[in-house]
Amino acid sequence: MKVLAFILSTVLGTALVAGGVLLIVTQSSRHSAGLDLLAIFALTILIYGPLVLGSLTSYWDVRGSQGSRSFFLRYLWVVVGLEVLAAVAIVLFAVLAGAPVWLPILFIVGGAVLTPLALAVGGLLQRHERAHPRADDEWMPVGRREIQRKVLIVAGIFVAAYAVGVVAFGALLSPDIGGALVIALQFAALAAGVACIAFTVPLNRRLRSTVGGDLGTVRKVGRVVLSKKDLALDPAERVAAAKYAAIVPTVLGFTLGWTTLLYLSIAVQQVRSIVDGRNAPFSVGLAVLLVAMLVFLVPYYAVRIGRAQRYARKHAAELTAEPGEDPVSPRWSPR
């Protein structure tokens, strides 16, 4: 159920952003790269802000400890504050771009509805998972062979989806073979990205089990492992940190994988629009934005993966700690 919800939320978020961008492009009388990007940034915050909150509440226990409650409350206020700024930005865009009055109202009301809805669905999913614990929630290391198998499956899905796409879109768009090849590439990247997401969800469950699902503890452990913060850890937290460091590089790798594939799917469409001369300034701006985000994300993730791997090697002995030192909470352990 969680895998399906994660995939649906990702696809829904992408679809909503695409639909919003379409409205921005078609319903505005004046266009410039700056105005369009301002509206897209605002739209992204209004959609993905609530989705991130829903994901947080569905995966982590945000009320189990004082640390969890404090962090989640701060995070909630940050998201709400960003949504307020996004609302101001979308109103400013509508005024400057000559968009109809209903456009900013639609975006703002949509964001206002998505926020409580995402929180409600996230809490519902967490309660469902607590009532139906899974055996694979228990922590276990990720072996090299398992990683290779997952990567080969993703690569196989990409190749198979591309082949199917070439045949299907080639028949539909004949004689525009070039267009068929481009759309098939988009389809293949999206299919492989969804496969990466499907692999990421169970890995995240293993990651969560290292800290018993407590949001405050995973934040503390993450700061030690990924940000090299010198924080005092008790014996149970040291075990949790070692387990976290052993699995988080794989989680981050697959997360970067599906992010890159989804960005590739969107970027290919923008390149096609540029070549065809359809709304070229907007497409150029969006393509540049996607490339810039990847230029930031790839080294960012690479540095954090490297830190986690070094921490895992340095603290490998902690993985053999006595069961009594394991911080996994009973409510997250399999029955």
mmCIF file of all heavy atoms in Angstrom, residues 164-208:
data_model
loop_
_atom_site.group_PDB
_atom_site.id
_atom_site.type_symbol
_atom_site.label_atom_id
_atom_site.label_comp_id
_atom_site.label_asym_id
_atom_site.label_seq_id
_atom_site.Cartn_x
_atom_site.Cartn_y
_atom_site.Cartn_z
ATOM 1 N N VAL A 164 9.318 -0.839 -26.377
ATOM 2 C CA VAL A 164 7.856 -0.816 -26.530
ATOM 3 C C VAL A 164 7.398 0.561 -27.006
ATOM 4 O O VAL A 164 6.523 0.690 -27.873
ATOM 5 C CB VAL A 164 7.172 -1.194 -25.207
ATOM 6 C CG1 VAL A 164 5.663 -0.970 -25.292
ATOM 7 C CG2 VAL A 164 7.460 -2.646 -24.858
ATOM 8 N N GLY A 165 7.995 1.610 -26.431
ATOM 9 C CA GLY A 165 7.621 2.970 -26.809
ATOM 10 C C GLY A 165 7.926 3.277 -28.264
ATOM 11 O O GLY A 165 7.134 3.932 -28.946
ATOM 12 N N VAL A 166 9.089 2.810 -28.737
ATOM 13 C CA VAL A 166 9.448 3.054 -30.138
ATOM 14 C C VAL A 166 8.427 2.410 -31.071
ATOM 15 O O VAL A 166 7.973 3.032 -32.053
ATOM 16 C CB VAL A 166 10.863 2.508 -30.428
ATOM 17 C CG1 VAL A 166 11.128 2.484 -31.933
ATOM 18 C CG2 VAL A 166 11.916 3.359 -29.731
ATOM 19 N N VAL A 167 8.037 1.164 -30.762
ATOM 20 C CA VAL A 167 7.061 0.466 -31.607
ATOM 21 C C VAL A 167 5.696 1.151 -31.534
ATOM 22 O O VAL A 167 5.069 1.452 -32.560
ATOM 23 C CB VAL A 167 6.946 -1.012 -31.189
ATOM 24 C CG1 VAL A 167 5.820 -1.705 -31.963
ATOM 25 C CG2 VAL A 167 8.270 -1.734 -31.427
ATOM 26 N N ALA A 168 5.230 1.426 -30.291
ATOM 27 C CA ALA A 168 3.888 1.974 -30.111
ATOM 28 C C ALA A 168 3.784 3.397 -30.666
ATOM 29 O O ALA A 168 2.880 3.710 -31.454
ATOM 30 C CB ALA A 168 3.512 1.952 -28.634
ATOM 31 N N PHE A 169 4.713 4.255 -30.267
ATOM 32 C CA PHE A 169 4.642 5.647 -30.717
ATOM 33 C C PHE A 169 5.044 5.777 -32.187
ATOM 34 O O PHE A 169 4.593 6.703 -32.873
ATOM 35 C CB PHE A 169 5.507 6.535 -29.829
ATOM 36 C CG PHE A 169 5.030 6.620 -28.422
ATOM 37 C CD1 PHE A 169 5.806 6.139 -27.375
ATOM 38 C CD2 PHE A 169 3.790 7.152 -28.116
ATOM 39 C CE1 PHE A 169 5.366 6.200 -26.063
ATOM 40 C CE2 PHE A 169 3.334 7.220 -26.812
ATOM 41 C CZ PHE A 169 4.120 6.735 -25.784
ATOM 42 N N GLY A 170 5.891 4.860 -32.650
ATOM 43 C CA GLY A 170 6.226 4.865 -34.064
ATOM 44 C C GLY A 170 5.009 4.614 -34.928
ATOM 45 O O GLY A 170 4.827 5.232 -35.978
ATOM 46 N N ALA A 171 4.149 3.693 -34.465
ATOM 47 C CA ALA A 171 2.919 3.408 -35.213
ATOM 48 C C ALA A 171 1.932 4.563 -35.133
ATOM 49 O O ALA A 171 1.249 4.888 -36.109
ATOM 50 C CB ALA A 171 2.285 2.125 -34.664
ATOM 51 N N LEU A 172 1.878 5.217 -33.966
ATOM 52 C CA LEU A 172 0.914 6.305 -33.783
ATOM 53 C C LEU A 172 1.339 7.578 -34.501
ATOM 54 O O LEU A 172 0.491 8.320 -35.006
ATOM 55 C CB LEU A 172 0.737 6.594 -32.287
ATOM 56 C CG LEU A 172 0.007 5.528 -31.460
ATOM 57 C CD1 LEU A 172 0.076 5.876 -29.979
ATOM 58 C CD2 LEU A 172 -1.444 5.423 -31.908
ATOM 59 N N LEU A 173 2.652 7.847 -34.535
ATOM 60 C CA LEU A 173 3.138 9.123 -35.068
ATOM 61 C C LEU A 173 3.745 9.005 -36.459
ATOM 62 O O LEU A 173 4.340 9.966 -36.950
ATOM 63 C CB LEU A 173 4.184 9.718 -34.113
ATOM 64 C CG LEU A 173 3.710 10.000 -32.689
ATOM 65 C CD1 LEU A 173 4.847 10.534 -31.846
ATOM 66 C CD2 LEU A 173 2.548 10.995 -32.696
ATOM 67 N N SER A 174 3.662 7.832 -37.061
ATOM 68 C CA SER A 174 4.239 7.644 -38.396
ATOM 69 C C SER A 174 3.732 8.724 -39.351
ATOM 70 O O SER A 174 2.541 9.055 -39.353
ATOM 71 C CB SER A 174 3.857 6.255 -38.923
ATOM 72 O OG SER A 174 4.371 6.065 -40.224
ATOM 73 N N PRO A 175 4.617 9.338 -40.153
ATOM 74 C CA PRO A 175 6.040 9.005 -40.379
ATOM 75 C C PRO A 175 7.021 9.816 -39.534
ATOM 76 O O PRO A 175 8.208 9.897 -39.873
ATOM 77 C CB PRO A 175 6.214 9.344 -41.862
ATOM 78 C CG PRO A 175 5.348 10.552 -42.034
ATOM 79 C CD PRO A 175 4.148 10.356 -41.126
ATOM 80 N N ASP A 176 6.570 10.444 -38.435
ATOM 81 C CA ASP A 176 7.452 11.254 -37.593
ATOM 82 C C ASP A 176 8.254 10.329 -36.667
ATOM 83 O O ASP A 176 7.979 10.209 -35.465
ATOM 84 C CB ASP A 176 6.620 12.241 -36.777
ATOM 85 C CG ASP A 176 7.497 13.186 -35.949
ATOM 86 O OD1 ASP A 176 8.722 13.191 -36.156
ATOM 87 O OD2 ASP A 176 6.945 13.900 -35.086
ATOM 88 N N ILE A 177 9.262 9.665 -37.225
ATOM 89 C CA ILE A 177 10.049 8.713 -36.453
ATOM 90 C C ILE A 177 10.845 9.419 -35.363
ATOM 91 O O ILE A 177 10.994 8.908 -34.241
ATOM 92 C CB ILE A 177 10.993 7.918 -37.384
ATOM 93 C CG1 ILE A 177 10.183 7.193 -38.462
ATOM 94 C CG2 ILE A 177 11.822 6.929 -36.580
ATOM 95 C CD1 ILE A 177 9.153 6.239 -37.894
ATOM 96 N N GLY A 178 11.377 10.615 -35.670
ATOM 97 C CA GLY A 178 12.131 11.358 -34.666
ATOM 98 C C GLY A 178 11.296 11.676 -33.442
ATOM 99 O O GLY A 178 11.748 11.507 -32.306
ATOM 100 N N GLY A 179 10.061 12.117 -33.676
ATOM 101 C CA GLY A 179 9.161 12.394 -32.556
ATOM 102 C C GLY A 179 8.868 11.152 -31.748
ATOM 103 O O GLY A 179 8.796 11.188 -30.514
ATOM 104 N N ALA A 180 8.706 10.022 -32.429
ATOM 105 C CA ALA A 180 8.434 8.763 -31.739
ATOM 106 C C ALA A 180 9.612 8.353 -30.859
ATOM 107 O O ALA A 180 9.422 7.875 -29.723
ATOM 108 C CB ALA A 180 8.126 7.664 -32.754
ATOM 109 N N LEU A 181 10.828 8.535 -31.365
ATOM 110 C CA LEU A 181 12.012 8.174 -30.575
ATOM 111 C C LEU A 181 12.122 9.042 -29.324
ATOM 112 O O LEU A 181 12.485 8.550 -28.248
ATOM 113 C CB LEU A 181 13.266 8.333 -31.440
ATOM 114 C CG LEU A 181 13.424 7.349 -32.611
ATOM 115 C CD1 LEU A 181 14.656 7.703 -33.429
ATOM 116 C CD2 LEU A 181 13.513 5.913 -32.104
ATOM 117 N N VAL A 182 11.799 10.319 -29.457
ATOM 118 C CA VAL A 182 11.888 11.231 -28.314
ATOM 119 C C VAL A 182 10.836 10.880 -27.260
ATOM 120 O O VAL A 182 11.132 10.803 -26.061
ATOM 121 C CB VAL A 182 11.723 12.689 -28.775
ATOM 122 C CG1 VAL A 182 11.580 13.619 -27.569
ATOM 123 C CG2 VAL A 182 12.905 13.110 -29.625
ATOM 124 N N ILE A 183 9.612 10.665 -27.691
ATOM 125 C CA ILE A 183 8.546 10.328 -26.738
ATOM 126 C C ILE A 183 8.821 8.978 -26.089
ATOM 127 O O ILE A 183 8.551 8.779 -24.896
ATOM 128 C CB ILE A 183 7.180 10.323 -27.455
ATOM 129 C CG1 ILE A 183 6.858 11.723 -27.964
ATOM 130 C CG2 ILE A 183 6.082 9.836 -26.525
ATOM 131 C CD1 ILE A 183 5.568 11.811 -28.752
ATOM 132 N N ALA A 184 9.368 8.034 -26.854
ATOM 133 C CA ALA A 184 9.725 6.737 -26.284
ATOM 134 C C ALA A 184 10.785 6.893 -25.202
ATOM 135 O O ALA A 184 10.756 6.191 -24.178
ATOM 136 C CB ALA A 184 10.217 5.799 -27.389
ATOM 137 N N LEU A 185 11.732 7.815 -25.414
ATOM 138 C CA LEU A 185 12.757 8.076 -24.399
ATOM 139 C C LEU A 185 12.128 8.641 -23.131
ATOM 140 O O LEU A 185 12.495 8.247 -22.013
ATOM 141 C CB LEU A 185 13.800 9.041 -24.956
ATOM 142 C CG LEU A 185 14.935 9.438 -24.004
ATOM 143 C CD1 LEU A 185 15.712 8.211 -23.545
ATOM 144 C CD2 LEU A 185 15.864 10.450 -24.683
ATOM 145 N N GLN A 186 11.181 9.562 -23.278
ATOM 146 C CA GLN A 186 10.463 10.086 -22.117
ATOM 147 C C GLN A 186 9.747 8.964 -21.370
ATOM 148 O O GLN A 186 9.799 8.878 -20.134
ATOM 149 C CB GLN A 186 9.428 11.121 -22.557
ATOM 150 C CG GLN A 186 9.987 12.434 -23.041
ATOM 151 C CD GLN A 186 8.862 13.362 -23.442
ATOM 152 O OE1 GLN A 186 8.572 13.536 -24.628
ATOM 153 N NE2 GLN A 186 8.218 13.959 -22.461
ATOM 154 N N PHE A 187 9.063 8.118 -22.117
ATOM 155 C CA PHE A 187 8.313 7.007 -21.533
ATOM 156 C C PHE A 187 9.242 6.059 -20.785
ATOM 157 O O PHE A 187 8.942 5.615 -19.671
ATOM 158 C CB PHE A 187 7.564 6.270 -22.646
ATOM 159 C CG PHE A 187 6.818 5.048 -22.197
ATOM 160 C CD1 PHE A 187 5.706 5.157 -21.375
ATOM 161 C CD2 PHE A 187 7.238 3.782 -22.589
ATOM 162 C CE1 PHE A 187 5.017 4.027 -20.955
ATOM 163 C CE2 PHE A 187 6.559 2.646 -22.167
ATOM 164 C CZ PHE A 187 5.448 2.770 -21.347
ATOM 165 N N ALA A 188 10.400 5.743 -21.384
ATOM 166 C CA ALA A 188 11.348 4.829 -20.758
ATOM 167 C C ALA A 188 11.927 5.419 -19.474
ATOM 168 O O ALA A 188 12.066 4.726 -18.459
ATOM 169 C CB ALA A 188 12.467 4.494 -21.744
ATOM 170 N N ALA A 189 12.275 6.717 -19.507
ATOM 171 C CA ALA A 189 12.820 7.368 -18.315
ATOM 172 C C ALA A 189 11.791 7.388 -17.188
ATOM 173 O O ALA A 189 12.121 7.145 -16.021
ATOM 174 C CB ALA A 189 13.267 8.789 -18.654
ATOM 175 N N LEU A 190 10.528 7.654 -17.540
ATOM 176 C CA LEU A 190 9.475 7.668 -16.524
ATOM 177 C C LEU A 190 9.266 6.276 -15.938
ATOM 178 O O LEU A 190 9.133 6.117 -14.710
ATOM 179 C CB LEU A 190 8.168 8.179 -17.143
ATOM 180 C CG LEU A 190 6.968 8.305 -16.205
ATOM 181 C CD1 LEU A 190 7.272 9.274 -15.071
ATOM 182 C CD2 LEU A 190 5.735 8.753 -16.974
ATOM 183 N N ALA A 191 9.245 5.241 -16.782
ATOM 184 C CA ALA A 191 9.051 3.870 -16.302
ATOM 185 C C ALA A 191 10.194 3.439 -15.387
ATOM 186 O O ALA A 191 9.973 2.841 -14.320
ATOM 187 C CB ALA A 191 8.939 2.915 -17.494
ATOM 188 N N ALA A 192 11.424 3.749 -15.774
ATOM 189 C CA ALA A 192 12.570 3.397 -14.937
ATOM 190 C C ALA A 192 12.558 4.181 -13.629
ATOM 191 O O ALA A 192 12.927 3.665 -12.570
ATOM 192 C CB ALA A 192 13.866 3.656 -15.698
ATOM 193 N N GLY A 193 12.126 5.457 -13.692
ATOM 194 C CA GLY A 193 12.017 6.252 -12.476
ATOM 195 C C GLY A 193 11.014 5.670 -11.503
ATOM 196 O O GLY A 193 11.258 5.613 -10.294
ATOM 197 N N VAL A 194 9.881 5.206 -12.009
ATOM 198 C CA VAL A 194 8.879 4.573 -11.151
ATOM 199 C C VAL A 194 9.439 3.298 -10.530
ATOM 200 O O VAL A 194 9.175 2.983 -9.357
ATOM 201 C CB VAL A 194 7.595 4.278 -11.963
ATOM 202 C CG1 VAL A 194 6.637 3.411 -11.157
ATOM 203 C CG2 VAL A 194 6.913 5.578 -12.363
ATOM 204 N N ALA A 195 10.237 2.539 -11.294
ATOM 205 C CA ALA A 195 10.862 1.329 -10.750
ATOM 206 C C ALA A 195 11.817 1.683 -9.609
ATOM 207 O O ALA A 195 11.852 0.985 -8.582
ATOM 208 C CB ALA A 195 11.609 0.589 -11.855
ATOM 209 N N CYS A 196 12.575 2.756 -9.771
ATOM 210 C CA CYS A 196 13.464 3.213 -8.698
ATOM 211 C C CYS A 196 12.673 3.580 -7.448
ATOM 212 O O CYS A 196 13.079 3.271 -6.324
ATOM 213 C CB CYS A 196 14.284 4.411 -9.167
ATOM 214 S SG CYS A 196 15.741 4.008 -10.123
ATOM 215 N N ILE A 197 11.543 4.248 -7.647
ATOM 216 C CA ILE A 197 10.701 4.613 -6.510
ATOM 217 C C ILE A 197 10.207 3.360 -5.797
ATOM 218 O O ILE A 197 10.210 3.282 -4.559
ATOM 219 C CB ILE A 197 9.511 5.468 -6.985
ATOM 220 C CG1 ILE A 197 9.991 6.828 -7.476
ATOM 221 C CG2 ILE A 197 8.499 5.659 -5.861
ATOM 222 C CD1 ILE A 197 8.910 7.674 -8.118
ATOM 223 N N ALA A 198 9.793 2.359 -6.573
ATOM 224 C CA ALA A 198 9.294 1.113 -5.985
ATOM 225 C C ALA A 198 10.373 0.434 -5.144
ATOM 226 O O ALA A 198 10.068 -0.179 -4.107
ATOM 227 C CB ALA A 198 8.820 0.165 -7.087
ATOM 228 N N PHE A 199 11.632 0.532 -5.545
ATOM 229 C CA PHE A 199 12.726 -0.047 -4.761
ATOM 230 C C PHE A 199 13.074 0.826 -3.559
ATOM 231 O O PHE A 199 13.540 0.321 -2.533
ATOM 232 C CB PHE A 199 13.970 -0.221 -5.638
ATOM 233 C CG PHE A 199 13.885 -1.362 -6.611
ATOM 234 C CD1 PHE A 199 14.338 -1.219 -7.907
ATOM 235 C CD2 PHE A 199 13.342 -2.576 -6.238
ATOM 236 C CE1 PHE A 199 14.262 -2.268 -8.815
ATOM 237 C CE2 PHE A 199 13.254 -3.636 -7.132
ATOM 238 C CZ PHE A 199 13.720 -3.481 -8.419
ATOM 239 N N THR A 200 12.874 2.135 -3.681
ATOM 240 C CA THR A 200 13.243 3.044 -2.600
ATOM 241 C C THR A 200 12.345 2.892 -1.381
ATOM 242 O O THR A 200 12.810 2.991 -0.238
ATOM 243 C CB THR A 200 13.179 4.507 -3.097
ATOM 244 O OG1 THR A 200 14.045 4.659 -4.219
ATOM 245 C CG2 THR A 200 13.613 5.473 -2.010
ATOM 246 N N VAL A 201 11.067 2.621 -1.592
ATOM 247 C CA VAL A 201 10.117 2.574 -0.480
ATOM 248 C C VAL A 201 10.473 1.495 0.541
ATOM 249 O O VAL A 201 10.573 1.779 1.737
ATOM 250 C CB VAL A 201 8.677 2.404 -1.002
ATOM 251 C CG1 VAL A 201 7.718 2.186 0.153
ATOM 252 C CG2 VAL A 201 8.272 3.632 -1.801
ATOM 253 N N PRO A 202 10.673 0.229 0.150
ATOM 254 C CA PRO A 202 11.055 -0.767 1.154
ATOM 255 C C PRO A 202 12.409 -0.485 1.787
ATOM 256 O O PRO A 202 12.628 -0.808 2.965
ATOM 257 C CB PRO A 202 11.064 -2.097 0.368
ATOM 258 C CG PRO A 202 11.145 -1.715 -1.063
ATOM 259 C CD PRO A 202 10.460 -0.400 -1.177
ATOM 260 N N LEU A 203 13.325 0.117 1.040
ATOM 261 C CA LEU A 203 14.601 0.493 1.628
ATOM 262 C C LEU A 203 14.402 1.561 2.698
ATOM 263 O O LEU A 203 15.070 1.549 3.745
ATOM 264 C CB LEU A 203 15.554 1.012 0.542
ATOM 265 C CG LEU A 203 16.116 -0.033 -0.427
ATOM 266 C CD1 LEU A 203 16.889 0.651 -1.557
ATOM 267 C CD2 LEU A 203 17.000 -1.033 0.294
ATOM 268 N N ASN A 204 13.492 2.481 2.453
ATOM 269 C CA ASN A 204 13.182 3.496 3.461
ATOM 270 C C ASN A 204 12.569 2.876 4.717
ATOM 271 O O ASN A 204 12.773 3.386 5.820
ATOM 272 C CB ASN A 204 12.224 4.539 2.878
ATOM 273 C CG ASN A 204 12.951 5.652 2.151
ATOM 274 O OD1 ASN A 204 14.058 6.014 2.521
ATOM 275 N ND2 ASN A 204 12.343 6.186 1.107
ATOM 276 N N ARG A 205 11.803 1.790 4.544
ATOM 277 C CA ARG A 205 11.252 1.113 5.721
ATOM 278 C C ARG A 205 12.380 0.517 6.563
ATOM 279 O O ARG A 205 12.335 0.559 7.788
ATOM 280 C CB ARG A 205 10.257 0.035 5.291
ATOM 281 C CG ARG A 205 8.903 0.566 4.881
ATOM 282 C CD ARG A 205 7.852 -0.523 4.961
ATOM 283 N NE ARG A 205 8.141 -1.605 4.033
ATOM 284 C CZ ARG A 205 7.623 -1.706 2.808
ATOM 285 N NH1 ARG A 205 6.806 -0.761 2.375
ATOM 286 N NH2 ARG A 205 7.911 -2.711 2.027
ATOM 287 N N ARG A 206 13.359 -0.056 5.906
ATOM 288 C CA ARG A 206 14.514 -0.578 6.651
ATOM 289 C C ARG A 206 15.243 0.565 7.361
ATOM 290 O O ARG A 206 15.683 0.425 8.507
ATOM 291 C CB ARG A 206 15.489 -1.270 5.698
ATOM 292 C CG ARG A 206 15.000 -2.584 5.126
ATOM 293 C CD ARG A 206 16.187 -3.334 4.540
ATOM 294 N NE ARG A 206 15.831 -4.063 3.341
ATOM 295 C CZ ARG A 206 16.701 -4.731 2.599
ATOM 296 N NH1 ARG A 206 17.973 -4.744 2.939
ATOM 297 N NH2 ARG A 206 16.309 -5.374 1.505
ATOM 298 N N LEU A 207 15.396 1.670 6.658
ATOM 299 C CA LEU A 207 16.070 2.824 7.242
ATOM 300 C C LEU A 207 15.310 3.322 8.464
ATOM 301 O O LEU A 207 15.909 3.649 9.501
ATOM 302 C CB LEU A 207 16.170 3.936 6.198
ATOM 303 C CG LEU A 207 17.032 5.141 6.550
ATOM 304 C CD1 LEU A 207 18.503 4.746 6.608
ATOM 305 C CD2 LEU A 207 16.829 6.258 5.544
ATOM 306 N N ARG A 208 14.003 3.358 8.363
ATOM 307 C CA ARG A 208 13.179 3.825 9.480
ATOM 308 C C ARG A 208 13.330 2.924 10.699
ATOM 309 O O ARG A 208 13.327 3.384 11.844
ATOM 310 C CB ARG A 208 11.719 3.879 9.034
ATOM 311 C CG ARG A 208 10.762 4.396 10.092
ATOM 312 C CD ARG A 208 9.333 4.326 9.613
ATOM 313 N NE ARG A 208 8.962 2.962 9.282
ATOM 314 C CZ ARG A 208 7.841 2.643 8.641
ATOM 315 N NH1 ARG A 208 7.031 3.596 8.228
ATOM 316 N NH2 ARG A 208 7.555 1.388 8.381
#
